[in-house]
């Protein structure tokens, strides 16, 4: 009996020990799995990882839309000089008067899917829309104000929500432009009337505006609309905004969405309209040249040129000074050849439509991109500067020669020394039939057909062996 009992206890003991060990094993495994997954979740992305999609994209759509689309450049029967979205300041419109435009803002033609489709079809990979411009009106349902699309207009549809759904569906990155300046808010620049943009003035309550209004709005924008690609600040030149405030904002935004990208207007580092940052000491991930393209690329510097398609950002019904499709496509190639991004602006009408000249240009750019997108996406700056016939972009062992002026004698000289060409072909040629190539001392000469495949920008791909 004792023997029997003894064995019995031994069996129970061994079984219990085995079970305990197995349980311990399971526990350790699941613990380490948990640790791994939480480590992945909290792993900080490097700047290169965070910037990767943006550097690859090269082309985005800027959308300026708000109450200023209603007056569309005219106040009290008089045309107001300057950019359309500045009409409240330039026309010296009092806050209470300007607010009335909200009652007329009813863009029943707005269709988020159509807007996103037009951007995508033009080859644009991201959309940056004005959540709030300097005038203070908000395009989403903000909880800290009634001065927004839901509470102040007859439209009562959250424009940012509809765009976020359409962007997700169509694989376009949604980004927000947000003005730090606010001409409507009593704790910001509203009391500066009649010159809301007076940079010598300060509002003693500005910190209250930041804490109870600006910051909570940023939290709404970065919590309720899914992942946001870029937060594009503006209006940072006001006296009350400081670099420490910019650094705090940068940290706050990255805390809310660790993968997000911010422009250099979050702080005080921007050099005027030229837009690049004064130094790395300032907050922000990329420089913002406005209405201009830097003369040359800048190694290791991320930048994005934003530009209007006519002479205004916000809709002005009489501004018909449209840039040609030729200028727009060549700007895109020029910017890519210097390692930058192109953020091309559209100003929709108060009905929610893109003016027809914009639609036409976007379609034409889209046709060019359908053939030539490989020469834009994921490319880096030209290794041969600005050749006299056009521009050059690079990717791996390929050079994309953007030919604006097609050679009359059929000989395209590429200023490349010590590089062996393995092949050259027209990007528009689906068969990639080789073009004759000869190597000289300090150049490669490609024989091209008589006629240019594209009168605006024909791309020849030069594949090299040793680049
Ligand atoms: O949203 C569009 C314009 O409404 C906005 N930026 C684009 C993207 C814009 N705001 N102001 N301006 C354009 C022009 C203002 C320039 C100035 Fe200044 C502000 C001149 C002096 C203060 C910026 C800061 C340039 C120099 C210092």
């Amino acid at each position: 009996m004792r023997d029997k009992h003894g064995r019995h206890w031994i069996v129970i003991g061994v079984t219990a020990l085995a079970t305990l060990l197995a349980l311990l094993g399971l526990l350790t495994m699941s613990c380490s799995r948990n640790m791994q997954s939480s480590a992945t979740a909290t792993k900080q992305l490097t700047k290169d990882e965070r910037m990767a999609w943006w550097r690859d994209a090269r082309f985005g759509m800027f959308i300026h839309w708000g109450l200023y689309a209603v007056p569309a450049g005219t106040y009290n029967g008089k045309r107001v000089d300057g950019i359309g979205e500045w009409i409240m300041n330039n026309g010296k419109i009092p806050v209470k008067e300007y607010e009335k435009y909200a009652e007329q803002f009813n863009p029943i033609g707005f269709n988020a899917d159509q807007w996103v489709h037009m951007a995508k079809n033009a080859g644009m990979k991201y959309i940056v829309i004005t959540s709030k411009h300097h005038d203070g009106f908000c395009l989403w349902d903000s909880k800290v104000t009634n001065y927004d699309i839901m509470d102040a207009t007859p439209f009562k549809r959250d424009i940012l929500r509809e765009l976020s759904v359409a962007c997700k569906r169509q694989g376009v990155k949604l980004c927000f432009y947000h003005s730090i300046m606010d001409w409507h808010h009593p704790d910001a620049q509203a009391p500066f009337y009649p010159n809301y943009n007076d940079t010598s003035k300060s509002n003693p309550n500005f910190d209250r505006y930041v804490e109870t209004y600006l910051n909570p709005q940023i939290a709404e924008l970065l919590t309720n609309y899914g992942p946001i690609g870029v937060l594009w600040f503006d209006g940072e030149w006001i006296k009350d905004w400081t670099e420490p405030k910019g650094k705090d904002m940068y940290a706050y935004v990255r805390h809310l969405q660790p993968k997000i990208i911010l422009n250099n207007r979050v702080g005080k580092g921007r050099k005027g309209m030229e837009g690049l940052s004064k130094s790395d000491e300032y907050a922000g991930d990329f420089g913002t040249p406005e209405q201009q393209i830097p003369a040359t690329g800048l190694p290791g510097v991320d930048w994005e040129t934003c530009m209007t398609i006519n002479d205004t950002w916000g809709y002005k019904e009489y501004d018909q000074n449209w840039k040609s499709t030729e200028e727009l496509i060549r700007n895109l190639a020029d910017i890519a050849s210097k390692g930058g991004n192109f953020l091309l602006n559209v100003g929709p009408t108060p009905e929610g439509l893109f003016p027809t000249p914009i639609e036409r240009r976007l379609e034409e750019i889209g046709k060019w991109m359908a053939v030539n997108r490989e020469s834009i996406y994921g490319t880096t700056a030209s290794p041969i500067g600005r050749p006299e016939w056009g521009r050059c972009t690079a990717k791996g062992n390929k050079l994309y020669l953007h030919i604006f002026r097609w050679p009359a004698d059929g000989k395209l000289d590429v200023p490349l020394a010590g590089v062996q060409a393995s092949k050259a072909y027209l990007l528009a040629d689906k068969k990639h039939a080789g073009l004759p190539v000869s190597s000289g001392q300090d150049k490669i000469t490609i024989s091209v057909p008589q006629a240019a495949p594209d009168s605006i920008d024909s791309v020849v791909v030069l594949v090299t062996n040793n680049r």
Side-chain angles (χ1 to χ4, degrees):
M1 288 289 274
R2 216 182 284 157
D3 255 17
K4 204 176 159 191
H5 273 134
R7 263 204 308 277
H8 187 68
W9 283 116
I10 287 168
V11 170
I12 290 176
V14 168
T15 318
L17 198 68
T19 317
L20 200 71
L21 280 174
L23 272 173
L24 261 172
L26 273 175
L27 205 70
T28 334
M29 267 165 64
S30 86
C31 264
S32 73
R33 245 204 315 272
N34 279 343
M35 268 156 61
Q36 261 170 22
S37 66
S38 71
T40 332
T42 54
K43 185 181 156 276
Q44 281 278 319
L45 292 181
T46 63
K47 183 170 180 193
D48 283 343
E49 287 168 332
R50 204 157 45 82
M51 298 297 290
W53 73 263
W54 186 89
R55 289 174 184 159
D56 192 72
R58 287 287 172 250
F59 193 23
M61 175 181 277
F62 217 169
I63 303 179
H64 276 70
W65 205 36
L67 294 187
Y68 39 80
V70 174
T74 302
Y75 175 57
N76 275 346
K78 288 202 193 78
R79 290 186 174 188
V80 177
D81 279 349
I83 39 187
E85 71 285 1
W86 273 65
I87 193 168
M88 179 178 176
N89 183 73
N90 299 353
K92 306 207 180 307
I93 310 179
V95 169
K96 287 285 162 231
E97 282 270 311
Y98 190 84
E99 276 178 350
K100 292 187 195 149
Y101 291 128
E103 295 155 26
Q104 296 172 54
F105 193 62
N106 193 21
I108 49 171
F110 171 67
N111 180 320
D113 269 309
Q114 268 172 17
W115 283 20
V116 176
H117 179 75
M118 284 190 274
K120 188 174 176 170
N121 203 45
M124 293 153 156
K125 299 274 196 181
Y126 58 108
I127 290 176
V128 184
I129 182 158
T130 47
S131 41
K132 184 196 83 166
H133 204 268
H134 310 331
D135 68 357
F137 180 75
C138 302
L139 281 190
W140 82 101
D141 185 14
S142 176
K143 299 299 171 215
V144 291
T145 183
N146 285 333
Y147 198 46
D148 68 29
I149 189 77
M150 300 299 276
D151 302 315
T153 78
F155 194 52
K156 301 197 191 306
R157 276 162 55 189
D158 186 331
I159 286 161
L160 301 189
R161 171 148 330 274
E162 292 185 24
L163 277 170
S164 72
V165 173
C167 278
K168 189 170 179 212
R169 187 151 49 212
Q170 299 190 48
V172 171
K173 294 248 186 209
L174 180 65
C175 314
F176 296 140
Y177 164 109
H178 204 79
S179 178
I180 292 166
M181 183 152 83
D182 195 312
W183 300 334
H184 181 264
H185 201 289
D187 291 343
Q189 291 77 42
F192 299 178
Y193 175 84
N195 179 10
Y196 299 110
N197 189 42
D198 190 336
T199 50
S200 69
K201 283 201 181 130
S202 184
N203 189 323
N205 297 322
F206 188 75
D207 283 355
R208 190 167 67 190
Y209 158 75
V210 174
E211 280 152 33
T212 66
Y213 196 79
L214 182 60
N215 285 347
Q217 288 206 327
I218 295 301
E220 289 175 8
L221 291 169
L222 299 184
T223 320
N224 300 332
Y225 299 92
I228 299 305
V230 176
L231 198 52
W232 212 107
F233 282 104
D234 202 5
E236 87 291 5
W237 58 80
I238 51 172
K239 196 174 179 195
D240 284 320
W241 196 250
T242 60
E243 179 60 19
K245 282 193 166 71
K247 287 198 167 67
D248 282 354
M249 180 59 89
Y250 184 94
Y252 183 52
V253 167
R254 291 283 311 279
H255 160 76
L256 289 164
Q257 290 211 10
K259 292 183 184 170
I260 206 166
I261 296 169
L262 293 97
N263 69 343
N264 67 346
R265 301 189 188 185
V266 64
K268 299 292 253 194
R270 164 165 74 121
K271 280 190 272 183
M273 303 302 265
E274 179 204 319
L276 298 166
S277 298
K278 294 173 199 158
S279 80
D280 289 348
E281 295 300 298
Y282 293 89
D285 298 316
F286 65 91
T288 50
E290 180 164 330
Q291 300 286 41
Q292 54 188 291
I293 302 173
T296 60
L298 302 130
V301 177
D302 292 300
W303 55 273
E304 173 191 68
T305 282
C306 57
M307 196 178 276
T308 51
I309 197 165
N310 46 356
D311 289 329
T312 183
W313 304 87
Y315 180 66
K316 263 179 112 172
E317 54 79 26
Y318 51 87
D319 180 347
Q320 300 294 330
N321 192 25
W322 306 104
K323 292 181 180 71
S324 65
T325 302
E326 176 181 281
E327 188 175 351
L328 298 171
I329 290 175
R330 288 183 179 176
N331 279 350
L332 175 62
D334 184 24
I335 289 167
S337 84
K338 294 167 181 170
N341 280 15
F342 189 26
L343 188 64
L344 177 61
N345 182 73
V346 308
T349 69
E351 293 80 34
L353 304 171
F354 286 10
T356 316
I358 294 185
E359 280 195 46
R360 254 200 328 264
R361 280 158 180 76
L362 292 177
E363 277 163 15
E364 286 165 3
I365 295 170
K367 281 194 191 125
W368 184 87
M369 283 294 274
V371 174
N372 298 294
R373 57 179 164 241
E374 183 192 321
S375 70
I376 299 291
Y377 299 144
T379 58
T380 50
S382 164
I384 56 169
R386 282 173 294 176
E388 33 106 20
W389 38 255
R391 293 291 182 268
C392 172
T393 54
K395 185 160 47 182
N397 64 343
K398 286 178 178 160
L399 293 184
Y400 299 94
L401 314 174
H402 294 256
I403 306 162
F404 300 169
R405 280 165 294 278
W406 195 251
D409 63 357
K411 303 279 178 227
L412 185 80
D413 285 336
V414 187
L416 273 173
V419 172
Q420 291 164 6
S422 82
K423 189 178 182 182
Y425 57 89
L426 292 167
L427 195 50
D429 174 12
K430 288 207 182 73
K431 294 191 188 112
H432 292 188
L435 300 171
V437 181
S438 65
S439 296
Q441 267 281 300
D442 49 8
K443 67 177 183 191
I444 287 172
T445 304
I446 305 169
S447 301
V448 294
Q450 182 95 63
D454 192 298
S455 62
I456 294 175
D457 176 2
S458 305
V459 178
V460 169
V461 185
L462 177 62
V463 188
T464 64
N465 281 330
N466 55 345
R467 210 192 76 81

